[in-house]
Structures are given as C-alpha cells and as structure tokens.
Amino acid sequence: MELLRKWLGHPEDIYNLLRFKMGGYRAVMPRMDTDSLGCGLRTCYRYLNQTSRSFAAVIQALDGELRHAVCIFYLVLRALDTVEDDMSIPLDVKVPMLHEFHSHLYQPDWKYTESKEKDRQVLEDFPTISMEFRKLSKVYQDVISDICHKMGVGMAEFLEKKVDSQHEWDKYCHYVAGLVGIGLSRLFSASELEDSIVGQDTDLANSMGLFLQKTNIIRDYLEDQMEGREFWPREVWSRYAKKLSDLAKPENIDVAVQCLNELITNALHHVPDVLTYLSRLKNQSVFNFCAIPQVMAIATLAACYNNQQVFRGVVKIRKGQAVTLMMDATNIQAVKAIMYQYVEEIYQKIPSTDPSCHRTQQAIAAIRAASLPGGPMASRHHYSPIYLSCAMLLAALSWQYLSTLAKATEEYVQAGDN
C-alpha cells in the first residue's frame, strides 16, 4: 500500500509505466533481431545482457554496425574492469595484466580462468569477444584498443593510492568513465552517424563520463564504505570529518550532508558541457543512448542533494520517474527542460547556512543559461487531467497487474548501472 500511495502522488508515473510496457519502450529501445547474427556475436550479446541491465537495451537500439562496435567495446571494458575489481589477483600479477590487457585483443587464445568475480565469463570466454573484435572495421578496432590501453594504465595507477585532491578525483573519473565517453564519441564519428567534431572534442566527451561517474560515486557512498572502497576526494571530506567513514555516524549527519552538497555542486559543473555535447548529435539512436543516462544522473543528484538518506541507505529515483525520463529525453529541447527542472528542484533545497550554497547557486545559474539559449524553456510533456484520472483509477482497479508490471520493467529502468 505504501508503494500505491507513492504512485498515486505521481500519477504521471503510472501513466508512463503503462505506456512504456504497452509498447512505448520500442520508441527508445526497439527490439534487435539476433537470429541473423553469427554464433560469436549472439554469444557477445548474451554476455552483454548478463552483465548490464541498463546499458544492454540502449546499446542494442543503436543503428547499423555501430551497435556491434559498442557491444564489443562494452564487453572489452567489462573484462578489464573485472580484472581491476578482482581482489583475489595479487597486485604483482594484476598491474601487468592491466597494462597489457589491450594486447590480448589480438591474441586469439588468451583467456583468464582464475577470476572470482561475478562477471568472470567475459574473461573465461575472452577468445569469443576478441574474435568478434578482430572482425570489426579497423577504425573501430583502433579506438577500442587505444581506450583499453589508456584505461588499463590509469586503473593500475590508482590501485595503490586513494583519491586525495579534487584534481585526482577528476583524473580517476577520467580513467574509468571519461575515457569511455571519449571512446564512444570516436566510435560515433567513425560510424559516420555523427560529425567528426563529436569524436574530436575530447573535453566535452570527458565531461559526459565524469558527470555519470561522479553521480555514481556520490550516490554509492554507503555501499562503497561497506565494501571497503573510498572514492570521495580527501581534499573535500577532510574538511568535515577525520575519516570518511565518520560521515555515516548519526552525530555527524549535519556535516556529512554539507560534504555531500559540496560534491554534488562539483558534479553540476559538468552539465553545461553535457548539454553542448548532446546538442551536436544528429542520429536519434545515438542521442537516446547518450541522453538517457545523463537525465537519470541529474534526477539522481536532485534526489541526493541535502538528503541524509545517502548516509543511511540507498537513494533511488522512482521506476515510473525513470520511465518518464527515458520516454521524454528524445530531443535536446526536452533534455534541457529536464535538466532545468531538476536543478530548480536542487535550488529550492539549498540551505542558506550550507558552506557551498553560493557555489551551488552559481553552478545552477550556469545550467540555467545553457538551458535557456535566448528563448523560453521547452516544456516537459504534460498529461491532461482526464488521462491522469484514468491512470489513477486503473491503478486502483489493477494493483496486482501494476505490481507485476513494475517488476517486468525493472531491467529497462535500472539507473546507475556501473
């Protein structure tokens, strides 16, 4: 009943969940025909669906040969990330593995069978992935190999050191996410679905990755603490506590929230770059692929801002909210309106006593300027009262169906998959 009350407070969520399940998701994630694929590619897409709940669908919705290139790119980086995450691999073995991983793309028989990680199948069957990699056009191979090499070197650098300064925070996020944005952008341009400037402007592509990665790091504070991981920059949190773990103590909740707000303010500075990047995209499938994670991220930051729950549990956006974002974020004006809406939500929650309040207001002013380039803000899609009333009535009469529907759509709307 609590979930029902929550949904009734957001009737557009109910309407969009129904619209999404009854075929609306095909507009942003059309079904891919795997029957025509060779055995190796079918296996790769199976691994993609097994290792990613949120990216799998949007990758498979990409147009033409770009779809296969991005699928292989994702699996190669997933394999690399699995090596980095595997704490059972000794450092004297792991560091050379990370440095040399890109070379295994050209070694047909290389595989690693000693991993203990949940995604170890991408290492155990790496020969299938590398075989499909070598079938890609050389222009795609060069991008994937180059990014894999740079990422492996960066991951090795941060294995034995913590993130201290904000500069190092940006550097770490560049290695694990900014390089992904740069690599994807180069693939988009190589496919000729997007202009060459998309792949050449590495600063904007880097910002795309940093915004997503910082959002994940901010949101996942408690989970990372429980797993013994620390990604919040010491330069920031040390102003609020002696140890990062101290922020989770109830007696420190006020300063913990202030630290949280400062990091969210830092992440918000990437949003104008995100909007500029998205405004350059021409292909609809590429736009959807890029825009959906970004609007999920701004909604997540709005939910986290000034929220004590970040230090007590998990902060998630509603499933219906996620579906609404997925279905709305199909053009740049809609994305600008979404960004505007959520930074206004943050603005309304800024405490006047917060040490970062003025910087937060300045970051939001920059986003407002980027969202309103000389014209009125694009309106989000609004639903007439009769539609909302029907949706609410349908929810009341079909509660069991909606509960089942929510579970069925979870694979499409999991936000923040790493």
Side-chain angles (χ1 to χ4, degrees):
M1 290 302 295
E2 177 61 29
L3 183 58
L4 177 59
R5 284 194 293 271
K6 184 183 294 187
W7 277 16
L8 289 177
H10 300 275
E12 72 280 4
D13 288 0
I14 305 172
Y15 176 78
N16 280 316
L17 275 169
L18 286 169
R19 194 160 64 103
F20 186 79
K21 185 59 181 175
M22 295 171 67
Y25 61 90
R26 294 297 175 210
V28 289
M29 292 180 295
R31 186 183 301 277
M32 186 184 75
D33 177 19
T34 58
D35 293 340
S36 60
L37 302 179
C39 180
L41 262 183
R42 281 202 302 272
T43 299
C44 286
Y45 279 105
R46 185 173 78 249
Y47 291 155
L48 174 65
N49 283 288
Q50 290 172 351
T51 57
S52 172
R53 288 175 297 184
S54 61
F55 287 123
V58 287
I59 288 174
Q60 291 172 92
L62 288 168
D63 290 340
E65 63 183 16
L66 177 63
R67 177 190 307 136
H68 302 327
V70 174
C71 173
I72 300 304
F73 185 42
Y74 177 90
L75 292 177
V76 168
L77 297 189
R78 173 59 69 184
L80 179 67
D81 190 57
T82 301
V83 172
E84 183 204 24
D85 287 344
D86 195 333
M87 302 306 292
S88 70
I89 305 176
L91 282 180
D92 61 343
V93 175
K94 183 183 292 189
V95 170
M97 279 185 71
L98 292 173
H99 277 276
E100 299 165 7
F101 197 87
H102 68 289
S103 66
H104 301 320
L105 292 166
Y106 298 96
Q107 299 168 2
D109 298 326
W110 186 90
K111 60 184 175 181
Y112 185 75
T113 58
E114 299 176 32
S115 177
K116 310 300 181 185
E117 290 292 298
K118 62 181 178 63
D119 292 331
R120 59 185 176 273
Q121 73 266 29
V122 295
L123 290 171
E124 294 172 348
D125 193 19
F126 198 75
T128 296
I129 297 170
S130 67
M131 175 182 68
E132 293 303 325
F133 163 83
R134 292 188 298 275
K135 290 180 181 178
L136 296 173
S137 299
K138 186 177 184 300
V139 66
Y140 296 136
Q141 291 185 36
D142 290 346
V143 171
I144 295 171
S145 177
D146 179 53
I147 296 299
C148 181
H149 185 200
K150 290 175 179 175
M151 187 176 291
V153 171
M155 286 177 168
E157 178 183 335
F158 278 91
L159 278 178
E160 296 185 279
K161 73 175 185 180
K162 293 184 177 180
V163 178
D164 285 328
S165 67
Q166 293 185 66
H167 172 74
E168 286 183 334
W169 197 35
D170 281 356
K171 190 176 183 181
Y172 171 77
C173 291
H174 165 73
Y175 282 139
V176 300
L179 282 172
V180 179
I182 292 169
L184 285 169
S185 300
R186 290 169 60 187
L187 293 178
F188 298 157
S189 294
S191 72
E192 299 185 353
L193 293 176
E194 298 297 344
D195 293 335
S196 59
I197 186 62
V198 173
Q200 293 168 354
D201 196 333
T202 56
D203 287 341
L204 292 188
N206 188 58
S207 280
M208 293 283 285
L210 263 60
F211 185 59
L212 299 182
Q213 185 66 21
K214 287 181 178 181
T215 297
N216 289 341
I217 288 173
I218 291 167
R219 180 202 59 197
D220 293 341
Y221 165 85
L222 195 61
E223 178 183 333
D224 286 338
Q225 281 293 301
M226 294 173 66
E227 296 292 332
R229 300 186 296 258
E230 293 190 355
F231 298 115
W232 284 25
R234 178 187 296 271
E235 180 184 345
V236 176
W237 64 255
S238 62
R239 292 198 291 268
Y240 300 92
K242 292 183 178 179
K243 296 185 298 182
L244 182 56
S245 58
D246 288 345
L247 295 178
K249 296 179 179 179
E251 62 268 25
N252 295 329
I253 192 63
D254 290 339
V255 293
V257 168
Q258 291 175 356
C259 181
L260 167 71
N261 290 348
E262 182 172 345
L263 290 182
I264 290 176
T265 299
N266 177 294
L268 289 175
H269 284 94
H270 297 293
V271 174
D273 278 356
V274 168
L275 293 176
T276 300
Y277 180 97
L278 293 175
S279 70
R280 290 176 173 172
L281 300 179
K282 302 183 303 181
N283 179 270
Q284 187 65 56
S285 72
V286 172
F287 186 91
N288 294 346
F289 176 88
C290 294
I292 290 172
Q294 301 294 333
V295 296
M296 297 287 189
I298 192 66
T300 300
L301 288 184
C304 289
Y305 185 81
N306 210 48
N307 189 349
Q308 298 179 0
Q309 186 61 23
V310 171
F311 304 95
R312 297 170 177 166
V314 180
V315 175
K316 290 184 177 180
I317 61 176
R318 303 181 308 277
K319 289 182 175 64
Q321 182 183 7
V323 165
T324 298
L325 290 171
M326 291 172 66
M327 297 185 71
D328 282 0
T330 56
N331 63 79
I332 187 59
Q333 290 305 318
V335 170
K336 287 180 177 181
I338 291 168
M339 292 290 189
Y340 190 102
Q341 171 189 328
Y342 283 109
V343 297
E344 287 301 304
E345 185 177 311
I346 292 173
Y347 186 84
Q348 296 301 320
K349 295 192 291 185
I350 299 175
S352 59
T353 56
D354 190 275
S356 303
C357 67
H358 295 304
R359 280 174 286 166
T360 309
Q361 290 167 350
Q362 289 171 354
I364 288 175
I367 297 171
R368 285 170 172 163
S371 299
L372 304 172
M377 182 185 72
S379 299
R380 292 282 306 279
H381 189 69
H382 295 287
Y383 303 104
S384 67
I386 187 169
Y387 277 124
L388 297 182
S389 298
C390 289
M392 293 172 68
L393 177 61
L394 182 59
L397 296 176
S398 310
W399 172 243
Q400 185 61 44
Y401 171 73
L402 285 171
S403 299
T404 304
L405 182 153
K407 293 179 182 178
T409 59
E410 185 170 2
E411 64 182 279
Y412 298 109
V413 299
Q414 286 288 341
D417 182 87
N418 291 327

Coordinates of all heavy atoms in Angstrom, one line a residue, residues 162-195:
K162 N 44.9 6.3 -2.9 CA 43.5 6.8 -2.7 C 43.3 8.1 -3.5 O 44.3 8.8 -3.8 CB 43.1 7.0 -1.3 CG 43.1 5.6 -0.5 CD 42.6 5.8 0.9 CE 42.5 4.5 1.6 NZ 42.1 4.6 3.0
V163 N 42.1 8.5 -3.7 CA 41.8 9.8 -4.3 C 41.9 10.9 -3.3 O 41.1 11.0 -2.4 CB 40.4 9.8 -5.0 CG1 40.1 11.1 -5.6 CG2 40.3 8.6 -6.0
D164 N 42.9 11.7 -3.4 CA 43.2 12.8 -2.4 C 42.6 14.1 -2.9 O 41.6 14.6 -2.3 CB 44.7 12.9 -2.1 CG 45.2 11.8 -1.3 OD1 44.4 11.3 -0.4 OD2 46.4 11.4 -1.4
S165 N 43.1 14.7 -3.9 CA 42.7 16.0 -4.3 C 41.5 16.0 -5.3 O 41.2 14.9 -5.8 CB 43.8 16.8 -5.0 OG 44.1 16.1 -6.2
Q166 N 40.8 17.1 -5.5 CA 39.8 17.1 -6.5 C 40.3 16.9 -7.9 O 39.6 16.4 -8.7 CB 39.0 18.5 -6.4 CG 38.3 18.6 -5.0 CD 37.4 19.9 -5.0 OE1 36.5 20.1 -5.7 NE2 37.8 20.8 -4.1
H167 N 41.6 17.4 -8.1 CA 42.2 17.1 -9.4 C 42.4 15.6 -9.6 O 42.1 15.1 -10.7 CB 43.6 17.8 -9.4 CG 44.4 17.4 -10.6 ND1 44.1 17.9 -11.9 CD2 45.4 16.6 -10.8 CE1 45.0 17.5 -12.8 NE2 45.8 16.6 -12.1
E168 N 42.8 14.9 -8.6 CA 42.9 13.4 -8.7 C 41.5 12.8 -8.8 O 41.4 11.7 -9.5 CB 43.6 12.9 -7.5 CG 45.1 13.2 -7.5 CD 45.9 12.5 -6.3 OE1 45.2 12.3 -5.3 OE2 47.1 12.3 -6.4
W169 N 40.5 13.3 -8.2 CA 39.1 12.8 -8.4 C 38.7 12.9 -9.9 O 38.2 11.9 -10.5 CB 38.1 13.6 -7.6 CG 36.8 12.9 -7.3 CD1 36.6 11.6 -7.2 CD2 35.6 13.5 -7.2 NE1 35.3 11.3 -7.0 CE2 34.6 12.5 -7.0 CE3 35.1 14.8 -7.3 CZ2 33.2 12.7 -6.9 CZ3 33.7 15.1 -7.1 CH2 32.8 14.1 -6.9
D170 N 39.0 14.0 -10.5 CA 38.8 14.2 -11.9 C 39.6 13.2 -12.7 O 39.1 12.7 -13.7 CB 39.1 15.6 -12.4 CG 38.0 16.6 -12.0 OD1 36.9 16.2 -11.5 OD2 38.2 17.8 -12.2
K171 N 40.8 13.0 -12.3 CA 41.7 12.1 -13.1 C 41.2 10.7 -13.0 O 41.2 10.0 -14.0 CB 43.2 12.2 -12.5 CG 44.2 11.5 -13.3 CD 45.6 11.8 -12.7 CE 46.7 11.2 -13.6 NZ 48.1 11.4 -13.0
Y172 N 40.9 10.2 -11.8 CA 40.3 8.9 -11.6 C 39.1 8.7 -12.4 O 38.9 7.7 -13.1 CB 40.0 8.6 -10.1 CG 39.3 7.3 -9.9 CD1 40.0 6.1 -10.0 CD2 37.9 7.3 -9.7 CE1 39.3 4.9 -9.9 CE2 37.3 6.1 -9.6 CZ 38.0 4.9 -9.6 OH 37.3 3.7 -9.5
C173 N 38.2 9.7 -12.3 CA 36.9 9.6 -13.1 C 37.2 9.6 -14.6 O 36.5 8.9 -15.4 CB 36.0 10.7 -12.7 SG 35.3 10.5 -11.0
H174 N 38.2 10.3 -15.0 CA 38.6 10.3 -16.4 C 39.0 8.9 -16.9 O 38.6 8.4 -17.9 CB 39.8 11.3 -16.7 CG 40.5 11.1 -18.0 ND1 39.9 11.4 -19.2 CD2 41.7 10.5 -18.3 CE1 40.7 11.1 -20.2 NE2 41.8 10.6 -19.7
Y175 N 39.8 8.2 -16.1 CA 40.3 6.9 -16.4 C 39.2 5.9 -16.5 O 39.2 5.0 -17.4 CB 41.4 6.4 -15.4 CG 42.7 7.0 -15.6 CD1 43.5 7.4 -14.4 CD2 43.3 7.2 -16.8 CE1 44.7 8.0 -14.6 CE2 44.6 7.8 -17.0 CZ 45.3 8.1 -15.8 OH 46.5 8.7 -16.0
V176 N 38.2 5.9 -15.6 CA 37.2 4.9 -15.5 C 35.9 5.2 -16.3 O 35.1 4.3 -16.6 CB 36.9 4.5 -14.1 CG1 38.1 4.0 -13.4 CG2 36.3 5.6 -13.3
A177 N 35.7 6.5 -16.6 CA 34.5 6.9 -17.3 C 34.7 7.9 -18.4 O 34.1 7.8 -19.4 CB 33.5 7.4 -16.3
G178 N 35.6 8.9 -18.2 CA 35.8 9.9 -19.2 C 36.4 9.3 -20.5 O 36.0 9.6 -21.6
L179 N 37.3 8.3 -20.3 CA 37.8 7.6 -21.5 C 36.7 6.8 -22.2 O 36.8 6.7 -23.4 CB 38.9 6.7 -21.0 CG 40.3 7.3 -20.7 CD1 41.3 6.3 -20.2 CD2 40.9 7.9 -22.0
V180 N 35.7 6.3 -21.5 CA 34.6 5.6 -22.1 C 33.8 6.6 -23.0 O 33.5 6.3 -24.1 CB 33.7 5.0 -21.1 CG1 32.5 4.3 -21.8 CG2 34.4 4.0 -20.2
G181 N 33.6 7.8 -22.4 CA 32.9 8.9 -23.2 C 33.7 9.3 -24.5 O 33.1 9.4 -25.5
I182 N 35.0 9.4 -24.3 CA 35.9 9.7 -25.5 C 35.8 8.6 -26.5 O 35.7 8.8 -27.7 CB 37.3 10.0 -25.0 CG1 37.3 11.3 -24.1 CG2 38.3 10.1 -26.1 CD1 38.6 11.5 -23.4
G183 N 36.0 7.4 -26.0 CA 36.0 6.2 -27.0 C 34.6 6.1 -27.7 O 34.6 5.9 -28.9
L184 N 33.5 6.2 -27.0 CA 32.2 6.2 -27.6 C 32.1 7.3 -28.7 O 31.6 7.0 -29.8 CB 31.1 6.3 -26.6 CG 30.9 5.0 -25.7 CD1 30.0 5.4 -24.5 CD2 30.3 3.9 -26.5
S185 N 32.5 8.5 -28.3 CA 32.4 9.6 -29.2 C 33.2 9.3 -30.5 O 32.7 9.6 -31.6 CB 32.9 10.9 -28.6 OG 32.1 11.1 -27.4
R186 N 34.4 8.7 -30.4 CA 35.2 8.4 -31.5 C 34.5 7.3 -32.4 O 34.6 7.3 -33.6 CB 36.6 8.0 -31.1 CG 37.4 9.1 -30.5 CD 38.7 8.6 -29.9 NE 39.6 7.9 -30.8 CZ 40.7 7.3 -30.4 NH1 41.0 7.3 -29.1 NH2 41.4 6.6 -31.3
L187 N 33.8 6.4 -31.7 CA 33.1 5.3 -32.4 C 31.9 6.0 -33.2 O 31.6 5.6 -34.3 CB 32.6 4.3 -31.5 CG 33.7 3.4 -30.8 CD1 33.0 2.4 -29.9 CD2 34.5 2.6 -31.9
F188 N 31.2 6.9 -32.5 CA 30.1 7.6 -33.2 C 30.5 8.2 -34.5 O 29.9 8.1 -35.5 CB 29.5 8.6 -32.3 CG 28.9 8.1 -31.0 CD1 28.7 8.9 -29.9 CD2 28.5 6.8 -30.9 CE1 28.2 8.5 -28.7 CE2 28.0 6.3 -29.7 CZ 27.8 7.2 -28.6
S189 N 31.7 9.0 -34.4 CA 32.2 9.7 -35.6 C 32.7 8.7 -36.6 O 32.5 8.9 -37.8 CB 33.3 10.6 -35.2 OG 32.8 11.7 -34.4
A190 N 33.3 7.6 -36.2 CA 33.8 6.6 -37.1 C 32.7 5.9 -37.9 O 32.9 5.6 -39.1 CB 34.7 5.6 -36.4
S191 N 31.6 5.8 -37.3 CA 30.4 5.2 -38.0 C 29.8 6.1 -39.0 O 29.0 5.7 -39.8 CB 29.4 4.8 -36.9 OG 28.7 6.0 -36.4
E192 N 30.2 7.4 -39.0 CA 29.6 8.4 -39.8 C 28.2 8.8 -39.5 O 27.5 9.5 -40.3 CB 29.8 8.1 -41.3 CG 31.3 8.0 -41.7 CD 31.5 7.7 -43.2 OE1 30.5 7.6 -43.9 OE2 32.7 7.8 -43.6
L193 N 27.7 8.2 -38.4 CA 26.3 8.6 -38.0 C 26.4 10.0 -37.3 O 25.4 10.7 -37.2 CB 25.8 7.6 -37.0 CG 25.5 6.2 -37.5 CD1 25.0 5.3 -36.4 CD2 24.4 6.3 -38.6
E194 N 27.6 10.4 -36.8 CA 27.8 11.7 -36.2 C 28.9 12.4 -36.9 O 29.8 11.8 -37.5 CB 28.0 11.6 -34.7 CG 26.9 10.9 -33.9 CD 25.6 11.8 -34.0 OE1 25.7 13.0 -34.4 OE2 24.5 11.2 -33.7
D195 N 29.0 13.7 -36.8 CA 30.0 14.5 -37.4 C 31.4 14.3 -36.7 O 31.4 13.8 -35.5 CB 29.7 16.0 -37.3 CG 28.5 16.4 -38.2 OD1 28.3 15.7 -39.2 OD2 27.8 17.4 -37.9

